Amino acid sequence: MTTEPTPKPLPPAARRTDAERNRAKILTAAREAFADPDAEVSMAEVARRAGVGMATLYRNYPGRPELLQALYADEVDAICQAAEAADGQSPGEALQAWLRQLFTFFAGKRHLAAELLKHTDRGDPLFDGGRAGVVAAGAPLLAAAQAAGTIRGDLDIEQVLDLVHAVATIRGDPARVQPLLQAALDGLRGLKAG
Amino acid sequence: MTTEPTPKPLPPAARRTDAERNRAKILTAAREAFADPDAEVSMAEVARRAGVGMATLYRNYPGRPELLQALYADEVDAICQAAEAADGQSPGEALQAWLRQLFTFFAGKRHLAAELLKHTDRGDPLFDGGRAGVVAAGAPLLAAAQAAGTIRGDLDIEQVLDLVHAVATIRGDPARVQPLLQAALDGLRGLKAG
DNA sequence: AGCGAAGCGGATAGGCTTTCCACTTCACCC
DNA sequence: GGGTGAAGTGGAAAGCCTATCCGCTTCGCT
């Protein structure tokens, strides 16, 4: 995705070299600032840290949500790809393993993810690259698990993602949250008997 | 917990009649304003609606969290009392029914509750009347259900509350959230078999 | 009726996000 | 190598927010 060596056919990016440099500075500064999952970072502070003006920030990322999305875009890609690496596992195990990865990702980003989800009232174009990608990646896993009878059939992938995300928003000692994730995942399987 | 009918020994409240009236006006206005669970209401707007100045608002409720807490204090009381009315049900059923009530309460208050929980990093004095009360009310229910073997033993009431609250934060059609609550509650029972 | 103090409204400080405009700096072309 | 137009820039400004402060009003009691 790093468009640099385009000597002639410069398609969408790579306008001016200094502009590109600033874009990078902003991204780096933002990543540093958001590293602490509980810190509240303002746009102004990102600009300050990056050593650029507000205009530069907002020119590169039209708003707060866009910046946040850019911050973890590659991580989301990685998760989507991880959905395909279901080696020698059963469909149920594969889904569960993937959901755990997703949980870890969400938990590490907590309020960042929450902020993003807030803007995503079905069909937000911002998430056609984010959420929609995850949905597309997870759908086959869920379908396979449901076909194998390991997961209750009355849920779709969006619901499952919502549940995992919700559990990831729980604060506190990971040792206390982990059993809750386990409970939620168990619940997806449905009850075997009274 | 509702201190009102103190005709003579007025210990902490009931200073001046107009002040008490204003307190009531604020509470009423705030309830109206927060009725829509998705509206974002500012302190200034509450003051405006109530027809009082900022000073009056902040005098009665030192900050936003305190106002929110006052808003639903009586509902929390009701829920706590509901925990005792476990008629002819099994311990597991009683707990589940009570958690559903709690879920409904949370879901109706969504971001309001989320905002409050945000300030509650273990032992926040603000919640010694709110969360702690719910914890105390729910603990026996959980203990009974665990003793009956209906609920997995490695969870305490705080964790269960966190899970229910998390599920209640999920937005969208209730018909889509309801199965998720069911899944979460099922998960609390633990798996019966692979 | 008078008076002290409790209570009041509105202005204010300091933050935030986002927009805007006059100036700077780059990249290209002669 | 230098001129030029547009892309890019910084910082100020508008409009929100929460929370505080101060001089005036109004209550309740004598």
Side-chain angles (χ1 to χ4, degrees), chain A residues 68-139:
Chain A
L68 297 187
Q69 201 213 354
L71 273 185
Y72 68 66
D74 47 352
E75 289 186 65
V76 169
D77 280 2
I79 287 178
C80 291
Q81 284 170 10
E84 297 171 25
D87 292 10
Q89 309 170 89
S90 74
E93 286 169 344
L95 177 66
Q96 189 165 123
W98 185 69
L99 290 178
R100 282 181 185 281
Q101 282 185 52
L102 204 55
F103 169 85
T104 303
F105 167 72
F106 279 143
K109 306 268 177 296
R110 214 168 304 135
H111 71 296
L112 196 145
E115 227 178 311
L116 273 165
L117 267 287
K118 209 162 77 176
H119 293 257
T120 191
D121 287 331
R122 306 291 144 204
D124 186 325
L126 196 89
F127 279 89
D128 288 356
R131 180 172 179 110
V134 179
V135 166

Side-chain angles (χ1 to χ4, degrees), chain A residues 11 16 20 25 29 41-42 48 74 120 131 136 149 154 192:
Chain A
R16 244 212 255 178
E20 206 61 30
K25 280 202 296 183
V41 185
S42 71
R48 244 176 279 130
D74 47 352
T120 191
R131 180 172 179 110
D154 64 340
K192 278 287 180 274

Side-chain angles (χ1 to χ4, degrees), chain B:
Chain B
M1 296 298 174
T2 47
T3 46
E4 271 300 85
T6 43
K8 270 292 167 57
L10 67 168
R15 302 294 243 146
R16 246 212 265 183
T17 56
D18 58 337
E20 206 61 28
R21 193 164 42 235
N22 274 334
R23 192 182 174 87
K25 279 201 297 183
I26 289 170
L27 220 66
T28 302
R31 251 187 250 282
E32 282 176 19
F34 281 102
D36 176 356
D38 284 333
E40 302 208 346
V41 184
S42 71
M43 289 288 122
E45 185 174 332
V46 171
R48 242 177 279 128
R49 277 170 175 261
V52 304
M54 302 294 289
T56 304
L57 209 188
Y58 275 88
R59 175 171 285 258
N60 281 281
Y61 304 97
R64 185 167 236 271
E66 286 82 0
L67 173 61
L68 297 186
Q69 201 213 355
L71 273 186
Y72 69 64
D74 46 353
E75 290 186 64
V76 169
D77 280 2
I79 286 177
C80 291
Q81 285 170 8
E84 298 171 25
D87 292 10
Q89 309 170 88
S90 74
E93 287 168 343
L95 177 66
Q96 188 164 125
W98 185 69
L99 290 179
R100 284 182 185 279
Q101 282 184 51
L102 204 56
F103 169 85
T104 302
F105 167 73
F106 279 143
K109 306 270 177 298
R110 214 168 306 136
H111 71 294
L112 195 146
E115 228 178 308
L116 272 166
L117 268 286
K118 209 161 77 177
H119 294 259
T120 190
D121 288 330
R122 306 291 144 203
D124 185 327
L126 198 87
F127 279 89
D128 288 355
R131 179 170 180 112
V134 178
V135 166
L141 283 179
L142 176 64
Q146 283 174 328
T150 328
I151 296 288
R152 55 160 70 192
D154 65 339
L155 299 175
D156 62 30
I157 184 65
E158 300 243 16
Q159 286 167 295
V160 173
L161 293 180
D162 282 347
L163 181 60
V164 171
H165 174 257
V167 175
T169 63
I170 301 174
R171 289 158 177 259
D173 189 349
R176 291 177 61 79
V177 181
Q178 207 62 51
L180 297 178
L181 175 62
Q182 187 59 55
L185 293 179
D186 286 352
L188 292 180
R189 312 179 59 168
L191 277 189
K192 277 285 181 272

